[in-house]
Amino acid sequence: MAQTIREDRPILWGVHDMMAQETGRPYGRGLHEMGLSPRDILVVRTRDLQTLLAVGEEALRCLAVGAVVLSAWGEAKAFSMTASRRLALAAETGGGTLFLARAAAAPCPSAAESRWSVASSASVPLEGGAPGRPSFSVTLLRRRGGGQTGTSILEWDREQRSFQPPPPLSGGLVPLAGQRPTAATGGERRYAA
């Protein structure tokens, strides 16, 4: 989403140190495969969440920044309604878009336009049993102004650089095997007729 919103303006990615330790840091080749140029992303590491929020707020006020991604780990009082309102006002001032990703934390009230929950999902294997595309369960929890919420399963299509719904299952049923053994007593096998 960030690559379509940035309008040829750079992206600031603020990473909380605890998040980087638990999940890793942005990876240049991975960003490139998602359609983002690592040259257009400024990564800022912070030790605490208050600094992360301050970095995000200042970046959002800057007209040169197209999007701000803040990656945080865990529960914290710093993520108050006041802090989210300050971020929303800064985004309105600068015209940038904010993506706040919180891991190991429960959803909480915020001034965000929408609130999502994203989790991994089982992928559909490719031919020959090869691992399938990365798959995610995406749930819209809240949207300002109302609207329908719900869950969708999406797969990342690396060639198209977009999320796609998984292909539908074939719908075919596996036939039951004839002459299938049932519970045997002793050393003797019994077969269904």
Side-chain angles (χ1 to χ4, degrees), residues 142-163:
R142 178 190 157 279
R143 181 183 319 188
R144 188 181 294 167
Q148 187 174 4
T149 59
T151 301
S152 297
I153 302 296
L154 298 174
E155 291 182 343
W156 176 250
D157 184 341
R158 187 172 28 182
E159 288 78 29
Q160 299 293 322
R161 292 184 173 165
S162 65
F163 288 99

Side-chain angles (χ1 to χ4, degrees), residues 42-112:
L42 173 64
V43 177
V44 177
R45 292 178 49 198
T46 65
R47 290 188 179 161
D48 58 78
L49 296 174
Q50 292 82 5
T51 305
L52 180 72
L53 294 171
V55 165
E57 188 176 336
E58 287 300 316
L60 285 165
R61 291 187 194 285
C62 179
L63 297 173
V65 175
V68 174
V69 179
L70 300 178
S71 301
W73 184 268
E75 302 285 345
K77 290 182 180 179
F79 292 113
S80 65
M81 187 62 126
T82 302
S84 72
R85 183 70 183 138
R86 289 177 63 103
L87 289 168
L89 289 172
E92 288 175 15
T93 301
T97 302
L98 171 66
F99 297 94
L100 175 59
R102 295 175 57 219
C108 63
S110 73

Side-chain angles (χ1 to χ4, degrees), residues 13-51:
W13 194 331
V15 181
H16 179 224
D17 277 346
M18 187 63 179
M19 180 70 135
Q21 289 174 4
E22 293 292 331
T23 63
R25 293 178 180 85
Y27 178 58
R29 290 179 94 179
L31 294 171
H32 183 70
E33 285 192 11
M34 293 192 74
L36 298 168
S37 172
R39 290 188 307 256
D40 296 333
I41 299 175
L42 173 64
V43 177
V44 177
R45 292 178 49 198
T46 65
R47 290 188 179 161
D48 58 78
L49 296 174
Q50 292 82 5
T51 305

